[in-house]
């Protein structure tokens, strides 16, 4: 069992949070659709695409915080390492969505610090429940994110192939993260927990579209 977090690890987590929120994320994989030509979008299409990518960027801030929180309290070293691979891909998602928001002339969500704090707390608490529930929670999160990215593929402007390429790759990655969590013993969450998570994610997506 992991010892309780001490002051050093709290400082490390605080530093990680600041870097996630303030520094530009980097990606090892090339930007999906990076070689595609930028198409001319109407002003309202551009605004809509930037807002949808802001929602996705905020979702990735949440993902970072959840993984960081879980890493603090997860008990099994093998599980922790498996999660680290997924967490690295989440950092890439953060970089891709951030870059696309810039290209579309948009901005990231003002709610990001709040979302990070909330998600970190949820991640840390879920880690305390033990790996079976921790991984089950993660698998359910990833499944819901996959569904929401699918919804965005229907809502992004048809001509915005660059945003669509990013969202499509993210969707594939999230499905992989859910499989990893289940393969490591994640349990199916009870229906009320799944519903509460859906309600929280609706609140997050509808607020960050505007704020
Ligand atoms: Fe992601
Ligand atoms: Fe993911």
């Amino acid at each position: 069992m992991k010892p309780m977090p001490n002051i050093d690890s709290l400082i490390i987590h605080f530093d990680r949070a600041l870097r996630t929120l303030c520094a530009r994320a980097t990606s090892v994989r090339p930007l999906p659709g990076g070689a595609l030509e930028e198409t001319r979008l109407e002003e309202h299409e551009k605004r809509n695409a930037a807002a949808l990518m802001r929602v996705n960027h905020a979702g990735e801030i949440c993902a970072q915080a959840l993984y960081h929180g879980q890493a603090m309290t997860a008990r099994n070293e093998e599980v922790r390492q498996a999660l680290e691979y997924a967490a690295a891909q989440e950092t890439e998602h953060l970089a891709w969505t951030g870059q696309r928001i810039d290209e579309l002339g948009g901005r990231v969500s003002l709610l990001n610090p709040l979302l990070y704090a909330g998600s970190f707390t949820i991640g840390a608490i879920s880690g305390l429940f033990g790996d079976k529930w921790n991984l089950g929670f993660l698998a359910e999160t990833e499944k819901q994110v996959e569904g929401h990215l699918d919804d965005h593929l229907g809502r992004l402007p048809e001509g915005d192939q660059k945003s669509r390429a990013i969202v499509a790759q993210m969707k594939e990655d999230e499905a992989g993260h859910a499989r990893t969590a289940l393969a490591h013993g994640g349990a199916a969450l009870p229906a009320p927990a799944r519903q509460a998570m859906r309600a929280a994610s609706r609140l997050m997506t509808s607020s960050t579209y505007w704020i």
Side-chain angles (χ1 to χ4, degrees):
M1 182 155 163
K2 278 189 89 177
M4 284 303 284
N6 56 23
I7 189 78
D8 287 347
S9 95
L10 288 178
I11 290 170
I12 289 169
H13 286 291
F14 186 65
D15 175 64
R16 249 181 168 184
L18 282 183
R19 270 186 287 130
T20 302
L21 291 166
C22 306
R24 185 158 278 277
T26 52
S27 177
V28 176
R29 285 181 294 172
L31 180 75
L36 291 170
E37 283 290 318
E38 189 73 70
T39 39
R40 238 192 86 67
L41 298 170
E42 299 289 340
E43 208 38 55
H44 72 275
E45 289 182 316
K46 223 170 158 177
R47 258 202 317 272
N48 178 40
L52 290 170
M53 294 311 273
R54 171 166 59 245
V55 172
N56 294 329
H57 181 270
E60 295 301 332
I61 292 276
C62 294
Q64 293 285 310
L66 278 176
Y67 276 106
H68 293 170
Q70 285 174 321
M72 185 167 82
T73 49
R75 296 164 197 199
N76 180 319
E77 186 57 27
E78 187 202 318
V79 167
R80 223 175 51 75
Q81 281 179 9
L83 296 183
E84 228 141 74
Y85 176 74
Q89 289 197 333
E90 306 297 5
T91 309
E92 299 193 310
H93 297 172
L94 195 66
W96 299 343
T97 47
Q99 181 172 339
R100 189 59 191 149
I101 288 171
D102 285 349
E103 289 168 358
L104 289 162
R107 57 161 179 82
V108 299
S109 174
L110 299 171
L111 300 174
N112 284 348
L114 202 69
L115 292 171
Y116 188 98
S119 303
F120 182 87
T121 308
I122 293 170
I125 292 171
S126 110
L128 291 175
F129 276 90
D131 290 327
K132 179 179 148 199
W133 296 111
N134 190 16
L135 290 167
F137 171 72
L138 189 72
E140 180 59 28
T141 306
E142 297 286 4
K143 267 205 313 237
Q144 291 190 14
V145 173
E146 191 194 344
H148 134 97
L149 291 173
D150 198 44
D151 172 60
H152 277 198
L153 284 174
R155 291 167 66 193
L156 277 167
E158 204 50 57
D160 188 1
Q161 292 302 322
K162 287 175 87 73
S163 296
R164 302 179 78 83
I166 293 171
V167 172
Q169 183 59 55
M170 280 167 53
K171 184 177 164 236
E172 201 180 308
D173 292 345
E174 312 303 7
H177 301 163
R179 281 195 301 273
T180 304
L182 291 175
H184 282 82
L189 296 193
R194 291 202 305 271
Q195 277 155 13
M197 286 166 72
R198 226 169 265 131
S201 111
R202 256 201 305 277
L203 190 67
M204 186 285 265
T205 53
S206 52
S207 54
T208 52
Y209 185 88
W210 302 105
I211 306 169

